[in-house]
């Protein structure tokens, strides 16, 4: 496309108030970030000053905060600005002073890179007053910049006495509606919140004339301690202060390649599966986020971390981490540190391992599914629900060389009591990860075999009744089958323990689905949908109600010769067995239970009368 010759380039017109509104509603999470941005700019200026004067001792330059009921002031001893810098960087939206010639090579030492931080001050004030003096130009005069919320600004040169040394002072006069974020006590709190780990000295004065340290100590992992025990206690105390719980243990995190140090605090109690905790991430000492989920993999929801890093990249709002190759590498490296901690605890601290697995077995199971090393170390010690109660697979496999695994919790509930009495070792495989992990037990214990529980396996362990008893009960069994045909349920008579169980309902979710599909195929016979279902149809497996000849109630029921009462008793036994299976009842089953109870009650009343 060819433009007309008289076409001229034009510049965008920026509505500053609209831009500030955009920042407050869509970029920043809260107006409180104004103080973080001011402190961050001060830290960047100090970093540049140290690059300019590398011989200056550590702590020679600092940041001073002041707040009273009228103004907020942030003063630093940083590199400062010349008048040209002020026009270039303070009056151009989106331009960062970190891009200046002579400083660009130090860009990796700065926290922010976006040049919009100063605009956040308009969230709480209508005017920003900056006085700065450059350290790069000898005898440079001080420069004053006043920016207003309507987009206008003024710049003027001040006398040398306006500021004695290099650095910058930013002063805000808060609006009346911003008191929540600008009261002296709140400013002090925010300063400690954002800057507790900063490497430059930061002080705060609330107007009393006494400057109190904001970050009096270095990060706890950077300090020296007289003994390893003292170090462990100090890190645990710091974790409790940050997160509000006493850690089960603390894991030191140290990745020199990216300048990352910190701790992971092991939660003392279980958390819901899949719930991810936010982690406290500092970048070069400045708090970036308290909810940085992306620093650790999904399976690590048993810890909360606080870390300080040099090389992680913030997003434009500087409240989250930018997803890039560096962050992915850090996440993988931290995951390896957590695996190493689990391995160390498994090898050397069985008491801590027991307490850890008691609280976080689900998290470890999710890791073991995909991590062969963790599987080999911890699978025998993970708790499972079994026919011997809740125990580890190591304990269970000592008494059961053949381990059977159910495919659902419902199936386990159906067979647990009977299988236990029959001496079968069954593991509930219906919970997340349990079936898959149980099947991998032979990799750790080759002498153990594992198989899915087949209903035929269970029924084979039930004792048949003698032929005479079977013949005597034949009429009742025929009536019972006829009564339960609506549920596609067969009826059989066996003898099994415990004798207190009158009946066992052997059915599975898959079998019920297959019967439902078969019924739909019959109902849709002749139609396209019927043809589709018919093509999918297999021989529909039937449920089986197994009556226990050892139970007194069953021995009485099979002698009933009154057809209606026999049918009602069979329905009642089916309903009781369905309830004991603890699976959701279908409407027809709920109706049957109510009806059979009422019919039995009516029969008893007629008999008494």
């Amino acid at each position: 496309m060819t433009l007309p010759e008289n076409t001229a380039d034009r510049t965008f017109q920026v509505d500053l108030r609209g831009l500030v509104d955009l920042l407050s509603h869509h970029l920043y999470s809260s107006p409180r970030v104004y103080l973080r941005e001011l402190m961050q700019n001060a830290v960047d200026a100090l970093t540049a000053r140290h690059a300019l004067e590398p011989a200056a001792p550590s702590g020679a330059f600092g940041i001073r905060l002041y707040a009273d009921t009228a103004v907020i002031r942030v003063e630093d001893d940083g590199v400062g600005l010349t008048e040209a810098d002020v026009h270039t960087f303070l009056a151009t939206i989106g331009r960062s002073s970190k891009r200046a010639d002579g400083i660009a090579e130090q860009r990796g030492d700065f926290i922010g890179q976006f040049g919009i931080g100063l605009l956040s001050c308009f969230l709480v004030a209508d005017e920003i007053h900056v006085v700065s003096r450059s350290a790069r130009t000898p005898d440079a005069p001080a420069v004053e910049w006043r920016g207003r919320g309507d987009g206008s600004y003024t710049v003027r040169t001040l006398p040398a006495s306006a500021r004695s040394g290099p650095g910058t002072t930013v002063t805000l006069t808060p609006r009346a509606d911003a008191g929540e974020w600008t009261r002296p006590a709140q400013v002090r709190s925010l300063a400690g919140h954002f800057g507790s780990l900063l490497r430059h000295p930061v002080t705060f004065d609330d107007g009393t004339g006494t400057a109190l340290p904001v970050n009096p100590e270095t990060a706890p992992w950077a300090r020296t301690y007289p003994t390893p025990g003292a170090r462990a206690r100090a890190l645990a105390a710091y974790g409790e202060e940050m997160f509000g719980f006493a850690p089960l243990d603390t894991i030191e995190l140290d990745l020199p390649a990216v300048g990352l140090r910190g701790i992971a605090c092991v939660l003392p109690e279980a958390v819901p599966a899949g719930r991810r905790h936010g982690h406290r991430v500092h970048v070069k000492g400045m708090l970036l986020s308290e909810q940085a989920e992306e620093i650790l993999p999904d399976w690590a929801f048993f810890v909360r971390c606080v870390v300080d890093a040099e090389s992680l990249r913030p997003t434009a709002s500087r409240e989250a981490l930018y997803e890039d190759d560096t962050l992915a590498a850090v996440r993988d490296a931290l995951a390896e540190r957590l695996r190493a901690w689990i391995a160390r605890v498994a090898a050397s601290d069985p008491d801590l391992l027991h307490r850890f697995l008691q609280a976080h077995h689900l998290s470890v199971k999710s890791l073991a599914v995909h991590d062969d090393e963790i599987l080999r170390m911890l699978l025998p010690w993970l708790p499972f629900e079994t026919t011997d109660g809740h125990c580890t697979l190591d304990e269970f496999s000592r008494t059961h060389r053949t381990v059977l695994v159910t495919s659902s919790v419902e199936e386990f509930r159906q067979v647990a009591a009977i299988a236990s009495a029959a001496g079968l070792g069954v593991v509930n495989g219906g919970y997340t990860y349990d079936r898959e992990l149980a099947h991998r037990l032979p990799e750790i214990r080759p002498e153990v075999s594992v198989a899915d529980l087949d209903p035929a396996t269970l029924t084979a362990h039930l004792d048949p009744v003698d032929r005479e008893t079977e013949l005597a009960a034949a009429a009742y069994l025929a009536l019972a089958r006829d009564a339960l045909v609506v549920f596609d349920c067969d009826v059989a008579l066996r003898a099994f323990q415990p004798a207190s169980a009158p009946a066992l309902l052997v059915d599975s979710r898959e079998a019920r689905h297959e019967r439902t599909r078969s019924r739909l195929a019959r109902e849709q016979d002749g139609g396209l949908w019927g043809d589709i279902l018919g093509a999918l149809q297999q021989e529909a497996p039937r449920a089986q109600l197994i009556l226990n000849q050892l139970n007194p109630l069953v021995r009485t029921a099979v002698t009933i010769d009154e057809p209606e009462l026999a049918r009602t008793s069979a329905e009642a036994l089916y309903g009781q067995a369905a309830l004991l299976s603890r699976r959701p009842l279908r409407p027809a089953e709920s109706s049957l239970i109510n009806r059979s109870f009422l019919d039995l009650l009516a029969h008893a009343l007629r008999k008494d009368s």
Side-chain angles (χ1 to χ4, degrees):
M1 178 179 178
T2 303
L3 294 175
E5 293 184 2
N6 61 350
T7 299
D9 290 336
R10 301 178 184 273
T11 58
F12 285 103
Q13 300 300 308
V14 177
D15 180 353
L16 188 57
R17 289 193 183 277
L19 181 58
V20 170
D21 182 70
L22 181 66
L23 295 179
S24 63
H25 289 94
H26 299 285
L27 184 63
Y28 295 126
S29 61
S30 164
R32 69 177 185 168
V33 299
Y34 80 92
L35 189 66
R36 184 199 64 195
E37 295 295 331
L38 289 178
M39 294 174 66
Q40 197 155 276
N41 286 342
V43 169
D44 290 341
L46 291 173
T47 303
R49 178 81 182 270
H50 276 288
L52 191 66
E53 303 176 33
S58 176
F61 310 130
I63 302 171
R64 294 167 293 281
L65 308 178
Y66 175 93
D68 60 22
T69 56
V71 299
I72 295 172
R73 189 165 60 244
V74 179
E75 181 177 353
D76 67 69
D77 301 316
V79 71
L81 299 170
T82 65
E83 182 175 351
D85 292 336
V86 166
H87 284 288
T88 302
F89 301 120
L90 297 188
T92 305
I93 294 173
R95 177 76 62 85
S96 171
S97 62
K98 273 78 77 178
R99 298 172 185 164
D101 295 338
I103 305 179
E105 66 273 11
Q106 301 294 333
R107 183 168 179 161
D109 292 331
F110 297 129
I111 301 172
Q113 300 179 5
F114 299 96
I116 57 176
L118 196 62
L119 291 181
S120 65
C121 295
F122 287 122
L123 300 177
V124 297
D126 289 325
E127 183 175 280
I128 305 171
H129 179 214
V130 179
V131 175
S132 186
R133 183 174 176 184
S134 175
R136 292 195 297 272
T137 304
D139 302 322
V143 180
E144 177 191 70
W145 178 87
R146 288 184 183 270
R148 289 170 287 275
D150 60 6
S152 63
Y153 70 94
T154 59
V155 178
R156 67 188 181 109
T157 301
L158 300 178
S161 59
R163 184 177 174 96
S164 59
T168 301
T169 301
V170 181
T171 304
L172 307 179
T173 302
R175 293 195 305 270
D177 62 357
E180 179 183 359
W181 310 108
T182 58
R183 289 189 297 269
Q186 179 71 321
V187 174
R188 171 67 182 90
S189 176
L190 291 176
H193 178 74
F194 290 121
S196 62
L197 298 185
L198 287 176
R199 292 83 182 269
H200 305 285
V202 183
T203 61
F204 174 78
D205 181 356
D206 62 358
T208 61
T210 302
L212 301 175
V214 170
N215 53 343
E217 295 184 294
T218 59
W221 48 81
R223 305 172 204 163
T224 56
Y225 299 89
T227 64
R231 183 179 184 84
R233 287 190 294 273
L235 295 178
Y238 182 75
E240 185 170 6
E241 179 186 352
M242 290 296 102
F243 299 123
F245 63 84
L248 195 63
D249 197 13
T250 55
I251 308 165
E252 288 207 53
L253 306 174
D254 188 4
L255 303 178
V258 292
L260 183 146
R261 296 191 68 184
I263 57 172
C265 298
V266 182
L267 289 155
E269 298 178 349
V271 295
R275 176 181 173 184
R276 300 184 65 187
H277 285 292
H279 307 287
R280 290 178 62 93
V281 175
H282 299 250
V283 176
K284 300 178 179 67
M286 184 70 74
L287 179 65
L288 183 79
S289 174
E290 296 176 273
Q291 300 296 326
E293 297 180 353
E294 61 274 16
I295 195 73
L296 287 181
D298 292 347
W299 55 260
F301 52 81
F302 58 88
V303 296
R304 293 194 69 182
C305 294
V306 52
V307 298
D308 185 21
E310 296 284 337
S311 302
L312 294 179
R313 181 181 171 191
T315 59
S317 67
R318 288 182 272 198
E319 295 183 313
L321 293 171
Y322 188 82
E323 189 69 48
D324 57 11
D325 292 342
T326 299
L327 179 57
V330 166
R331 186 164 47 237
D332 291 343
L334 292 180
E336 187 57 38
R337 296 296 187 275
L338 298 183
R339 290 189 185 94
W341 175 83
I342 293 174
R344 178 179 61 78
V345 170
S348 61
D349 197 335
D351 178 63
L352 177 57
L353 177 66
H354 173 73
R355 288 184 286 128
F356 170 66
L357 292 180
Q358 196 171 34
H360 301 294
H361 59 273
L362 183 59
S363 180
V364 177
K365 285 178 179 180
S366 69
L367 176 58
V369 166
H370 306 290
D371 191 308
D372 291 343
E373 182 180 355
I374 296 297
L375 180 81
R376 287 190 296 272
M377 287 189 299
L378 295 183
L379 179 60
W381 314 111
L382 291 171
F384 288 78
E385 185 179 13
T386 74
T387 45
D388 290 353
H390 283 84
C391 61
T392 67
L393 285 185
D394 186 66
E395 295 170 329
F396 193 66
S397 61
R398 290 176 190 171
T399 54
H400 301 283
R401 292 304 185 188
T402 298
V403 175
L404 301 173
V405 186
T406 65
S407 60
S408 67
V409 174
E410 171 192 318
E411 186 179 11
F412 180 81
R413 298 283 185 266
Q414 290 177 12
V415 306
I418 311 302
S420 178
L424 297 176
V426 181
V427 171
N428 185 350
Y431 295 117
T432 306
Y433 312 118
D434 283 12
R435 182 168 177 265
E436 183 176 355
L437 288 173
H439 273 283
R440 297 190 66 179
L441 181 61
E443 299 176 28
I444 317 301
R445 299 283 187 268
E447 69 278 10
V448 178
S449 62
V450 179
D452 285 329
L453 176 66
D454 187 332
T457 302
L458 181 62
T459 55
H461 283 76
L462 306 181
D463 297 329
V465 297
D466 58 70
R467 183 170 181 78
E468 182 178 343
T469 302
E470 182 86 33
L471 289 173
Y476 177 84
L477 295 177
L479 289 169
R481 292 184 184 108
D482 183 62
L484 300 179
V485 69
V486 66
F487 298 112
D488 294 312
C489 183
D490 194 10
V491 183
L493 185 65
R494 296 288 188 273
F496 54 86
Q497 295 292 340
S500 58
L504 168 66
L505 180 60
V506 179
D507 198 9
S508 67
R509 184 179 303 156
E510 292 76 12
R512 291 197 300 276
H513 287 175
E514 181 61 36
R515 292 197 298 273
T516 299
R517 189 166 58 189
S518 298
R519 186 180 70 253
L520 288 174
R522 291 193 298 270
E523 293 172 355
Q524 298 288 335
D525 189 28
L528 176 60
W529 183 239
D531 293 340
I532 294 173
L533 291 174
L536 295 173
Q537 182 179 353
Q538 305 170 4
E539 183 178 349
R542 303 189 70 190
Q544 192 172 35
L545 180 67
I546 303 175
L547 305 180
N548 187 3
Q549 175 63 20
L550 301 181
N551 182 268
L553 175 61
V554 172
R555 287 202 302 270
T556 300
V558 297
T559 63
I560 297 173
D561 54 9
E562 184 180 335
E564 286 305 315
L565 181 58
R567 293 172 60 90
T568 299
S569 66
E571 291 174 342
L573 288 168
Y574 176 90
Q576 183 184 27
L579 286 172
L580 290 175
S581 72
R582 303 189 197 181
R583 64 168 170 79
L585 297 178
R586 290 172 285 177
E589 291 172 331
S590 298
S591 176
L592 173 137
I593 292 171
N594 293 330
R595 187 180 68 251
S596 62
F597 176 79
L598 292 174
D599 288 349
L600 288 173
L601 183 60
H603 178 80
L605 291 174
R606 285 197 304 271
K607 185 177 180 181
D608 290 341
S609 61

